[in-house]
Amino acid sequence: MASRRVMSGGPIDVSFVKDHPKISGVIWAGYPGQAGGLAIADVLFGQTNPGGKLPMTTMGLRPGPSYPGRTYRFYNGPVVYPFGHALSYTTFTHEILNAPTAGYRRPHNATDFSGEAIRVTHTKCNRLSLVIHVAVRNTGRHDGPYTLLDRFTGRHEAQAQKEVQINIHVCKFLSVVDRFGNRRVPMGEHGIHIGDVRHSVSLQAETLGIIKS
């Protein structure tokens, strides 16, 4: 089996490579510079174990039934490789050690409600942060760095485990913009994906309280 290299500053259609029976992996090297050849060789021959993840979603950019042509955020069709896709010479597992399951928001008055969402400007955002503790374990035989999509956790030795704290600001990361341009946080269940683990947090409007564990 062979590997192929992509050396470019942006996404390139490599759909012909993905299911090729003789190609087992693709290295996206960007514009590596003078020492890029040696770095790529070290990866190909297993001298180093890269820990980067794909910083984009590789997809078709022409408008069509699944894409109205307004950035990747509106795309809901098939992709070649999804955002965050990566290969490694080792394997990792994730476990959520501690995370809130419910959150409460305190509106200033009854007019702050609009359907099932609350305006960010009517919320005490400074106190609304979800703190999640995640354990990342290297379950393979090789050392290697690992990248959570939220933050970099550093290098893991084989069979080692590290705990990482993730802070998710509710008003910044769980809000949406309505048709009038107002940013709101929808009430109800929000799904948080960390690696292959999914955690649910229920946000409800109450007269008292803040995010609770």
Side-chain angles (χ1 to χ4, degrees):
M1 303 294 284
S3 297
R4 288 295 181 266
R5 301 173 301 282
V6 176
M7 301 174 69
S8 71
I12 292 179
D13 184 4
V14 292
S15 55
F16 69 97
V17 171
K18 183 176 181 180
D19 298 320
H20 197 287
K22 294 184 178 180
I23 298 176
S24 58
V26 178
I27 297 175
W28 186 81
Y31 294 136
Q34 180 180 1
L38 291 176
I40 293 172
D42 285 343
V43 173
L44 292 177
F45 290 99
Q47 298 300 315
T48 186
N49 187 10
K53 292 189 176 183
L54 191 65
M56 63 195 77
T57 297
T58 52
M59 48 174 266
L61 297 178
R62 296 184 181 276
S66 60
Y67 178 56
R70 298 190 301 273
T71 82
Y72 70 93
R73 296 185 65 182
F74 297 90
Y75 183 80
N76 59 5
V79 301
V80 182
Y81 292 104
F83 180 88
H85 179 79
L87 297 176
S88 176
Y89 289 118
T90 188
T91 55
F92 295 91
T93 60
H94 317 81
E95 179 185 2
I96 296 179
L97 302 177
N98 184 30
T101 58
Y104 303 91
R105 322 206 77 194
R106 178 165 53 191
H108 292 171
N109 53 61
T111 62
D112 292 341
F113 294 90
S114 175
E116 297 181 351
I118 299 178
R119 290 183 62 170
V120 166
T121 55
H122 297 162
T123 307
K124 295 186 176 181
C125 290
N126 292 336
R127 303 175 67 188
L128 291 174
S129 182
L130 300 173
V131 180
I132 301 177
H133 295 269
V134 181
V136 180
R137 182 175 181 81
N138 184 345
T139 57
R141 297 181 297 174
H142 301 279
D143 294 354
Y146 185 78
T147 303
L148 282 176
L149 295 183
D150 178 78
R151 61 186 295 168
F152 183 72
T153 65
R155 189 172 187 83
H156 288 253
E157 295 182 0
Q159 300 299 319
Q161 177 173 300
K162 185 173 182 179
E163 181 178 332
V164 181
Q165 176 176 306
I166 301 174
N167 297 314
I168 300 177
H169 195 285
V170 172
C171 292
K172 290 182 179 179
F173 302 122
L174 299 184
S175 61
V176 295
V177 178
D178 64 18
R179 60 177 180 166
F180 301 107
N182 299 313
R183 186 167 290 277
R184 300 177 181 272
V185 178
M187 297 295 97
E189 181 176 307
H190 291 251
I192 300 174
H193 295 259
I194 302 174
D196 53 359
V197 178
R198 185 182 188 275
H199 179 72
S200 295
V201 176
S202 178
L203 298 179
Q204 303 296 333
E206 300 287 348
T207 56
L208 295 173
I210 58 172
I211 295 296
K212 294 183 178 180
S213 297

